[in-house]
Amino acid sequence: MTITQPDLSVFETLESEVRSYCRGWPTVFDQARGSRMYNEDGHEYLDFFAGAGSLNYGHNNPVLKRALLDYLERDGVTHGLDMSTTAKRTFLRTFQDLVLLPRDLPYKVMFPGPTGTNAVESALKLARKVKGREAIVSFTNAFHGMSLGSLAVTGNAFKRAGAGIPLVHGTPMPFDNYFDGTVPDFLWFERLLEDQGSGLNKPAAVIVETVQGEGGINVARAEWLRALKELCERQDMLLIVDDIQMGCGRTGAFFSFEEAGIVPDIVTVSKSISGYGLPMALCLFRPELDLWEPGEHNGTFRGNNPAFVTATAALEAYWTDGSAMEKQTRARGEQVEQWLVSIAEENRADVSEFRGRGLVWGLEFHDKGRAERIARRAFDLGLLVETSGPEGEVVKLLPALTITPEELDEGMRVLARAVRETA
């Protein structure tokens, strides 16, 4: 059988060397539906990547696509800066009715620009403005984006080095279980805050991911998050939860912090908020923090109206009865966990551990290079998975929330085979 080699020449000669995902998946994709992608030759791939978490409802979800096409066909406003539009009004009302009010969350909604890192930048700027302080505390292995402010609170040395300048006004603290349970939670953090000789400037805020996606699928315990919230309140610091990848139902509930029973001061949301993979981001914060002057943080594309349309359709389709979506995600997560138990049992000498919540899971290996080999073999077998962790040592599973049980089993069988064949 003759295998057609994909024409990658223009990407290799014209596109920057900074490209990354395409290197692990050397093909040219052409179509996508649900949990499957197809290259230009029609070869099928099961997608356990979901646009790095921006496609929680799958590729070209028909409900969202219909809403978008109807809007475009009637010449609905596409670009609107921060002007008032019918699409924005409908989204805001729907978000309030289906997300904020049922959870008794008091947040104001800010459209900071269409990317996750812009949401983080706006959160950091607002925290500093409110508290009148510069320092921000983040956590080991955190990832918050690739712009300078976000990089300053990101842990990964490789990504930080790309800034090209010193990254200042950010201080890392140990994430949950960083010392394998040998040190009491926040012992070091509290000691620094209370010691006038510690050299730690009083922070304006603490920023945290409840599950560190890029950091290796590190899951914070609910009690750790509650203790962090209490510490912030005692020490007059704002708590920012970065829910860009783990929000919109990824861990089960709409917001990943709901399980802990906390209400952060500021929340950043992006990726799957549009539901369709369209650029969109939100910065949510308590009303008393809304000290912005008009235009103090703006951006040309913060009024991406097609994204408002698909976001509204996603909320109406999947969160009118939020408990149903949450139960389904948790059930699918249990299905993945059962598979990982089996894979770990079969590969006891190789697997370090597996961990996750809802439909985000990580499989870690003692051999730091094993995860990358597994991801490449999985691609050969028709499955898209990425790696995460500071050394890429974790296979990261991020399927769409709408994936069927049969598709999950299919993908996990391929993963088990890829693990087996890279031993």
Side-chain angles (χ1 to χ4, degrees), residues 245-369:
Q245 189 169 79
M246 298 304 156
C248 303
R250 175 55 58 181
T251 64
F254 188 87
F255 293 110
S256 69
F257 55 80
E258 292 182 51
E259 179 183 342
I262 63 173
V263 178
D265 299 295
I266 303 175
V267 182
T268 59
V269 182
S270 187
K271 289 194 182 288
S272 274
I273 187 60
S274 81
Y276 203 71
L278 299 178
M280 181 177 172
L282 308 176
C283 185
L284 313 175
F285 40 81
R286 292 190 287 108
E288 60 269 29
L289 304 181
D290 194 7
L291 303 183
W292 292 113
E293 297 290 337
E296 193 173 7
H297 186 96
N298 56 25
T300 303
F301 296 103
R302 64 196 182 281
N304 187 1
N305 282 257
F308 298 157
V309 170
T310 55
T312 300
L315 292 176
E316 291 174 343
Y318 297 101
W319 297 98
T320 298
D321 179 6
S323 62
M325 190 66 186
E326 182 173 347
K327 288 177 182 176
Q328 176 177 299
T329 298
R330 294 190 188 283
R332 301 284 192 274
E334 290 171 1
Q335 186 179 345
V336 173
E337 185 175 15
Q338 290 169 3
W339 270 101
L340 292 176
V341 168
S342 175
I343 291 172
E345 280 292 313
E346 185 182 340
N347 302 271
R348 287 185 183 180
D350 302 323
V351 173
S352 173
E353 67 171 323
F354 61 87
R355 49 190 180 265
R357 276 178 59 193
L359 271 176
V360 52
W361 289 86
L363 181 61
E364 183 174 355
F365 293 84
H366 297 296
D367 176 357
K368 302 296 185 184

Side-chain angles (χ1 to χ4, degrees), residues 123-345:
L124 301 181
K125 285 170 66 173
L126 181 59
R128 287 167 170 142
K129 181 179 177 67
V130 168
K131 292 300 182 184
R133 309 178 206 132
E134 297 176 352
I136 304 289
V137 164
S138 57
F139 291 94
T140 50
N141 291 314
F143 177 78
H144 296 289
M146 299 297 279
S147 51
L148 291 181
S150 300
L151 280 176
V153 291
T154 287
N156 187 281
F158 173 75
K159 292 180 173 65
R160 288 175 63 88
I165 61 172
L167 297 170
V168 297
H169 309 305
T171 302
M173 291 292 166
F175 190 71
D176 190 15
N177 204 38
Y178 188 72
F179 294 108
D180 299 320
T182 61
V183 177
D185 296 338
F186 308 114
L187 174 66
W188 175 241
F189 192 2
E190 289 200 78
R191 184 70 58 86
L192 292 179
L193 288 169
E194 295 168 0
D195 183 358
Q196 296 301 306
S198 70
L200 175 66
N201 293 329
K202 181 79 170 183
V206 176
I207 185 168
V208 68
E209 304 155 274
T210 65
V211 180
Q212 294 182 326
E214 299 304 309
I217 318 301
N218 305 312
V219 182
R221 293 167 298 141
E223 55 267 34
W224 186 86
L225 291 168
R226 286 192 291 269
L228 176 61
K229 174 61 174 170
E230 292 167 3
L231 175 60
C232 288
E233 291 175 350
R234 289 199 312 272
Q235 295 289 344
D236 187 34
M237 302 178 298
L238 298 178
L239 178 61
I240 304 169
V241 168
D242 181 342
D243 231 10
I244 288 166
Q245 189 169 79
M246 298 304 156
C248 303
R250 175 55 58 181
T251 64
F254 188 87
F255 293 110
S256 69
F257 55 80
E258 292 182 51
E259 179 183 342
I262 63 173
V263 178
D265 299 295
I266 303 175
V267 182
T268 59
V269 182
S270 187
K271 289 194 182 288
S272 274
I273 187 60
S274 81
Y276 203 71
L278 299 178
M280 181 177 172
L282 308 176
C283 185
L284 313 175
F285 40 81
R286 292 190 287 108
E288 60 269 29
L289 304 181
D290 194 7
L291 303 183
W292 292 113
E293 297 290 337
E296 193 173 7
H297 186 96
N298 56 25
T300 303
F301 296 103
R302 64 196 182 281
N304 187 1
N305 282 257
F308 298 157
V309 170
T310 55
T312 300
L315 292 176
E316 291 174 343
Y318 297 101
W319 297 98
T320 298
D321 179 6
S323 62
M325 190 66 186
E326 182 173 347
K327 288 177 182 176
Q328 176 177 299
T329 298
R330 294 190 188 283
R332 301 284 192 274
E334 290 171 1
Q335 186 179 345
V336 173
E337 185 175 15
Q338 290 169 3
W339 270 101
L340 292 176
V341 168
S342 175
I343 291 172
E345 280 292 313

Side-chain angles (χ1 to χ4, degrees), residues 8-19 23:
L8 302 173
S9 58
V10 71
F11 308 110
E12 294 169 348
T13 60
L14 189 59
E15 191 179 0
S16 167
E17 293 298 317
V18 79
R19 64 193 189 280
R23 296 178 187 274

